[in-house]
Amino acid sequence: MYGLPKIHKPNSPLRPILSMVGSVQHGLAKWLVEILNPVVKFYSIHCIPDSFQFASSIRNLCLSIDTKFFVSFDISSLYTNVPLDETIGICADFLYRGPTETPRFPENVFIELMEMATKSVAFSFDNMMYRQIDGVSMGSPLGPSIANIFVDFYECLLFNNVPKPWCYVRYVDDTFAFFRSREAACSFFQHLNKLHPSLQFTMEEERDNILPFLDVLVERTPSVFLTSIFRKPTFTGLYLSWDSFAPKRRKKDLIRTLTHRALMICSSSRLTAERHKIKEIFLSNGYPEQLVSYTIRSKVDNFNRAKVYGPPRCPIYLKLPWLGSSIQPLADKISSSVTHCFNAANLRIIYSSRPALPSFFKEALPSMNKVRLFTFTNVSATLTMLARRYSDYQSEWLSMF
């Protein structure tokens, strides 16, 4: 376990991250996510997948005369406060007594697997071993699904007794809502904090008809809602430097990515200002002005171009070490050969480069764990070899009769 500091909040509290990649529970958790998909889809009525859809839905709303106040709600420390036993019971009740198809294994097996992937997670921190007994961890594939199901379940119970706001959308622990007045928002806020002891909400009100939500800045005008990019006060504008030892394509893709975000989020009246902001950011990182302008312009032209419909080409990924500009002719030759021989393939070359200095941010894996992993690998290989030899011996023995 390690922590990431939230530098945009007072005293920079740490966000706990439990890295589960490569652990015993990681593969099981990924498999259980697929089992929980029907539960997530059923309860996630008001959820949005990303800020792109949020910005699009807000811009398409017709401004109501009764809409006079909008706020955002945030759940304090949602992941660590999710009650596992209760949430697992909600999932089991829906899967085995709900409207969907029942899994092929018994309910008690499902509960045991869920507990194994959540409550039986052992991890190290500061040279000490711990075991997770409640709450979900950020870093587990099951974390977002379980947290969403828990909040969605009580959200549905709330709207059975309390009128739903005119607009209500949520992304995990962040909620955006419109109300007729500030008093109506405060009343709804009180109902939210009575839902469950583990759900404690905070409320942020609009200021001068402006309120940020995720990375979208929502502005209310007399007729429509305008959206633009929101950057926290701690934003420094530091991105991949032009002088860094990295592929040129990666640097140009960074410009395209920020331009794509602006095209998806910003209203047409706010897009020009955002394009100038992106240009200033990359110029301060040492990028050539002509390259930045051309890349932004080409991305905008491709975005506005009519889409060609048809069967998509199959993506194929090839990882090559980044050795400077000398690797580019080889990559071009490989790409040309694949395109010429396999017309349905879409080759995507990924360059990897090792850092010049080793990273000391994450805690090193204890040597005992490494030995245990190496021993298990040897045992697995030995058992596989013995099984093959036994199969060959059995075939030879049967051929004698």
Side-chain angles (χ1 to χ4, degrees), residues 88-109:
I88 292 174
I90 293 172
C91 299
D93 186 66
F94 180 87
L95 289 174
Y96 291 91
R97 284 169 290 277
T100 60
E101 183 180 355
T102 304
R104 299 182 179 180
F105 44 90
E107 182 178 357
N108 62 325
V109 175

Side-chain angles (χ1 to χ4, degrees), residues 382-398:
T382 305
L383 290 176
T384 304
M385 181 185 65
L386 290 175
R388 290 177 179 175
R389 289 186 178 180
Y390 174 77
S391 178
D392 296 340
Y393 172 78
Q394 187 180 27
S395 300
E396 294 178 1
W397 185 77
L398 291 175

Side-chain angles (χ1 to χ4, degrees), residues 220-236:
R220 185 183 60 190
T221 65
S223 56
V224 294
F225 294 104
L226 300 179
T227 56
S228 57
I229 301 295
F230 170 71
R231 295 179 176 87
K232 290 183 173 65
T234 53
F235 177 74
T236 60

Side-chain angles (χ1 to χ4, degrees), residues 30-74:
K30 290 178 65 177
W31 181 74
L32 287 172
V33 168
E34 300 296 328
I35 304 297
L36 294 178
N37 270 340
V39 191
V40 175
K41 292 180 180 178
F42 180 81
Y43 285 117
S44 301
I45 304 174
H46 308 96
C47 290
I48 52 173
D50 49 41
S51 57
F52 295 162
Q53 182 173 333
F54 169 73
S56 176
S57 60
I58 289 295
R59 288 196 302 266
N60 294 329
L61 284 177
C62 296
L63 192 57
S64 173
I65 299 178
D66 296 334
T67 305
K68 299 180 180 179
F69 198 75
F70 55 107
V71 299
S72 66
F73 303 108
D74 179 59

